[in-house]
Amino acid sequence: MGAPSPPRAWAEIDLSALRHNLEVAREISSCAVMAVVKAGAYGHELETVARTLAQADVAFFGVANVGEARRIADAGVTTRIYLLGATWADERAEIVARGWTPCLSSLDEARDFDQLAQAANVRLKVHLAVDTGMGRGGFVADDLPHQMPQLEALDGIEIEGLGSHLPSADEDETFTREQFTRFTNLAQALGGRDRFKWIHLSNSAGLLGYPSSPCNLVRPGLMLYGISPLPKFQDKLKNVMSLKSRVTLIRELPAGHGVSYGRTFITQRPTRVATIGIGYGDGYPRHLSGQGAEVWIKGHRHPLLGRVTMDQIMIDVTDHADIEVGDEVEVFGPHLRVDEVAAKAGTIAWEILTGITPRVVRVHHTE
Ligand SMILES: *Cc1c(COP(=O)(O)O)cnc(C)c1O
């Protein structure tokens, strides 16, 4: 047995920043919060995030599927769990037995849950999802009023919520305003807050950019993790995840020397190259190659050279003689936000965060 070797790449996760961002969501929206923790809490480790936010009294956890619901419940967290996506038929008995809350998109699903609940002698709380523009799930908006009587007739389910989803809250204000109006009119036509205990539409961008009425519940994901989809609110949020690595080698290369696969970068001068222990095998996108990406070491940004490899990247530190083997590297974090990295990789912060692989050790702290 050798001595334990420290990880090459790790993610420091600040749980007090997570709690701060939750309070921002509550303050701005004046609504109860369904904390969206799908995809391992956007890469921040599902169980730890769920335990932390449960102590801050969120109304629901929003998860993608039954596997994630199980992990939260099995961690001893008793906060209600809401399934954001469609369920398979053979998952439904467990959903009924464990009292998780599905969102329904069809009469067939409603009837199936009704029968299972009646057989189990319970009344299952469910929400109706309505499609007001996302095109991914839910009852088609114009159909729902006609289907309501048949849904109401099902004694095994209690329809306690009405929800919809915004496709363009961070991209198209005109469409989003119209969508809010459409959803509000539909919710009112169906009885509004007298009929539904919970009415919800907004993700992070929706709750930051638009007043929530008649909603009383919001479903933030990304903003809880410290990134605002609307730049104007970024200052209110605190960074939660810092992806870090270390300098593993420093070498002097002569002018005219290729760096990394494909030799897409050739040194133009004698160059001091730092090799860093992170790569696309950790979720650092290979698409950053040749896009002007940078990392943060000892108070400065330094450019990425050549292609990202599976386990290592190379950085130009020619002008910074103080940088040494073992130095800590911020790949993204408070000095270099993940949305900047995402933009350079041609993608979005959500994808980078959820793409950090299991090899990256998650280290949680509160301070
Ligand atoms: C993922 C998701 C959210 C959270 O979205 P963010 O943009 O991360 O805030 C909210 N609602 C639904 C239905 C989702 O699928």
Side-chain angles (χ1 to χ4, degrees):
M1 292 278 280
S5 42
R8 294 282 193 279
W10 68 99
E12 291 175 7
I13 294 166
D14 181 347
L15 297 173
S16 53
L18 179 73
R19 283 193 292 260
H20 167 88
N21 299 335
L22 170 66
E23 290 317 315
V24 174
R26 273 207 254 258
E27 263 172 43
I28 291 184
S29 68
S30 309
C31 286
V33 171
M34 175 188 300
V36 177
V37 294
K38 60 193 180 189
Y42 291 41
H44 293 64
E45 200 171 83
L46 181 56
E47 287 85 348
T48 309
V49 167
R51 280 196 203 97
T52 303
L53 295 179
Q55 286 168 4
D57 274 342
V58 296
F60 290 89
F61 284 119
V63 300
N65 57 45
V66 161
E68 294 176 345
R70 276 186 201 134
R71 283 177 55 188
I72 294 178
D74 293 350
V77 172
T78 56
T79 305
R80 289 184 63 185
I81 295 175
Y82 182 90
L83 296 152
L84 294 157
T87 57
W88 301 121
D90 59 11
E91 297 170 335
R92 292 181 190 150
E94 180 179 2
I95 292 168
V96 169
R98 300 180 78 160
W100 297 332
T101 306
C103 69
L104 306 183
S105 289
S106 70
L107 259 174
D108 283 348
E109 284 175 282
R111 291 192 181 113
D112 198 19
F113 275 114
D114 170 60
Q115 282 178 4
L116 289 163
Q118 299 220 31
N121 236 337
V122 295
R123 194 141 189 260
L124 182 71
K125 293 188 165 103
V126 303
H127 292 208
L128 301 180
V130 57
D131 188 347
T132 55
M134 178 68 185
R136 185 174 70 177
F139 290 86
V140 174
D142 288 343
D143 298 347
L144 184 56
H146 311 292
Q147 290 174 313
M148 232 17 222
Q150 287 158 281
L151 291 162
E152 304 265 17
L154 302 170
D155 289 333
I157 59 173
E158 176 188 334
I159 301 170
E160 67 150 8
L162 180 71
S164 191
H165 193 40
L166 301 164
S168 304
D170 54 349
E171 292 177 36
D172 186 342
E173 186 174 335
T174 307
F175 176 83
T176 304
R177 293 213 178 281
E178 288 166 9
Q179 194 184 1
F180 264 91
T181 304
R182 261 201 317 282
F183 180 67
T184 302
N185 292 342
L186 179 69
Q188 299 305 0
L190 296 176
R193 292 276 308 284
D194 295 334
R195 170 63 190 80
F196 299 104
K197 180 171 181 205
W198 299 111
I199 300 180
H200 49 103
L201 176 57
S202 284
N203 53 8
S204 299
L207 84 87
L208 289 169
Y210 302 82
S212 272
S213 155
C215 302
N216 60 347
L217 180 69
V218 290
R219 306 187 309 262
L222 191 69
M223 70 172 290
L224 298 178
Y225 309 104
I227 302 298
S228 174
L230 302 177
K232 139 172 163 205
F233 297 93
Q234 186 59 51
D235 284 354
K236 294 191 184 299
L237 303 178
K238 293 189 176 164
N239 186 72
V240 178
M241 183 192 289
S242 300
L243 181 62
K244 296 200 169 165
S245 183
R246 285 190 195 284
V247 176
T248 56
L249 274 175
I250 295 197
R251 301 159 61 247
E252 310 279 346
L253 295 182
H257 200 293
V259 177
S260 196
Y261 292 116
R263 304 177 66 254
T264 56
F265 179 83
I266 307 288
T267 54
Q268 299 297 304
R269 56 173 181 174
T271 304
R272 194 159 176 262
V273 176
T275 301
I276 316 291
I278 194 166
Y280 63 77
D282 302 287
Y284 188 69
R286 185 172 175 280
H287 275 92
L288 285 170
S289 312
Q291 300 302 316
E294 294 170 321
V295 300
W296 178 270
I297 314 171
K298 281 191 169 157
H300 297 277
R301 289 169 172 244
H302 308 273
L304 175 70
L305 299 178
R307 288 190 184 152
V308 174
T309 77
M310 190 185 291
D311 314 305
Q312 307 179 70
I313 56 177
M314 278 65 82
I315 301 292
D316 186 344
V317 296
T318 309
D319 300 328
H320 296 271
D322 59 326
I323 291 176
E324 312 167 7
V325 167
D327 278 351
E328 194 172 288
V329 178
E330 181 183 310
V331 176
F332 62 73
H335 302 101
L336 210 165
R337 282 204 323 272
V338 63
D339 50 338
E340 180 190 326
V341 173
K344 287 194 171 145
T347 184
I348 53 175
W350 293 259
E351 189 180 33
I352 303 294
L353 291 173
T354 58
I356 304 297
T357 63
R359 180 164 82 178
V360 177
V361 176
R362 270 70 166 178
V363 186
H364 296 88
H365 58 94
T366 30
E367 73 212 5

